[in-house]
Amino acid sequence: MESSSTRRMNTRRKLFEAAVTLIAEQGFSSTTVDEIAERAGVAKGTVYYNFASKTVLFEELLRHGIELLTGSLQQAADATAARGGSNVDALDAMIRAGLEFISAYPALTQLYVAELWRTNRAWQSTLMQVRQQAIAVIETVLRKAISAGELSEEIDIPLTASALFGMVLVAALDWQSFQPERSVDEVHSALSRLLQGRVGGDSPRG
């Protein structure tokens, strides 16, 4: 039989998926708790049992989603290290992991990007904290790459990590919105060449 903790996790996952999709479609203000409950296939009271309010639900959605992305990036880096790959290989694997995550959760990514630059939201500080968690994973690999002599010591680690994170987000959204016929392999290949040629410091060949 399904345990109570497993049932609650499954319920929260349904609410997460329903709310992300609805809010991405019609905005936070226009989305009601009734709609979230109906889309998730649960009673309205179940939403409030799991989350104190719609605002709390949305804040937890963003936190949960970016933590999932952070976990995907970390797993990609760890798997590369385990098989003896370089730190630049780990960065490349993280780019692919990010693309695959965004492909699996496009509505979440659209929501995150839309909310990132708003300053009047109750969850703004939470959003900044979880964003930094994701970027910190990239910063760690960049530091290792510099220490190993794979990358130049002149690299600005915080800015480069933010640039890589932003590159994946923007490229993936553009891919999903305007070039959906492309495969993840094609998009990853293009970003991989940018990584190897720009961040890796290789000079362009004429």
Side-chain angles (χ1 to χ4, degrees):
M1 289 181 62
E2 193 178 52
S3 69
S4 59
S5 62
T6 301
R7 279 198 304 274
R8 188 170 188 203
M9 278 179 22
N10 286 338
T11 298
R12 288 171 74 92
R13 177 182 54 78
K14 289 178 184 176
L15 290 171
F16 166 74
E17 293 173 351
V20 164
T21 303
L22 283 167
I23 294 169
E25 287 174 356
Q26 56 195 37
F28 175 76
S29 299
S30 299
T31 300
T32 66
V33 172
D34 284 340
E35 289 173 319
I36 293 171
E38 182 180 356
R39 180 71 66 95
V42 302
K44 181 178 179 180
T46 302
V47 180
Y48 288 116
Y49 176 76
N50 284 274
F51 304 99
S53 66
K54 188 175 73 167
T55 297
V56 171
L57 167 59
F58 189 60
E59 184 171 353
E60 286 302 310
L61 289 178
L62 290 169
R63 181 194 298 276
H64 178 61
I66 303 307
E67 285 177 349
L68 283 177
L69 173 57
T70 301
S72 296
L73 299 177
Q74 187 65 64
Q75 288 170 14
D78 292 345
T80 303
R83 60 176 180 265
S86 70
N87 292 293
V88 173
D89 289 336
L91 291 169
D92 187 56
M94 292 163 80
I95 287 174
R96 176 155 193 124
L99 291 172
E100 289 177 343
F101 179 89
I102 293 166
S103 179
Y105 299 99
L108 171 66
T109 308
Q110 291 168 10
L111 204 52
Y112 168 75
V113 172
E115 291 297 321
L116 189 58
W117 306 113
R118 296 179 191 265
T119 57
N120 61 340
R121 301 296 207 190
W123 49 79
Q124 188 67 22
S125 62
T126 296
L127 194 56
M128 292 299 101
Q129 289 170 11
V130 294
R131 171 189 174 275
Q132 187 53 43
Q133 289 172 13
I135 289 175
V137 174
I138 304 172
E139 289 179 347
T140 297
V141 178
L142 285 170
R143 287 192 184 93
K144 289 179 180 178
I146 292 170
S147 296
E150 298 172 36
L151 297 178
S152 168
E153 293 181 358
E154 296 179 359
I155 284 177
D156 184 313
I157 292 174
L159 278 177
T160 302
S162 295
L164 286 171
F165 186 68
M167 176 182 75
V168 172
L169 283 178
V170 173
L173 286 178
D174 186 88
W175 162 41
Q176 296 284 312
S177 300
F178 304 113
Q179 305 179 63
E181 72 282 357
R182 290 184 178 272
S183 67
V184 67
D185 288 335
E186 287 181 283
V187 180
H188 174 234
S189 178
L191 298 188
S192 180
R193 281 193 291 272
L194 279 175
L195 171 70
Q196 299 292 341
R198 303 304 180 194
V199 176
D202 294 342
S203 59
R205 305 182 190 282

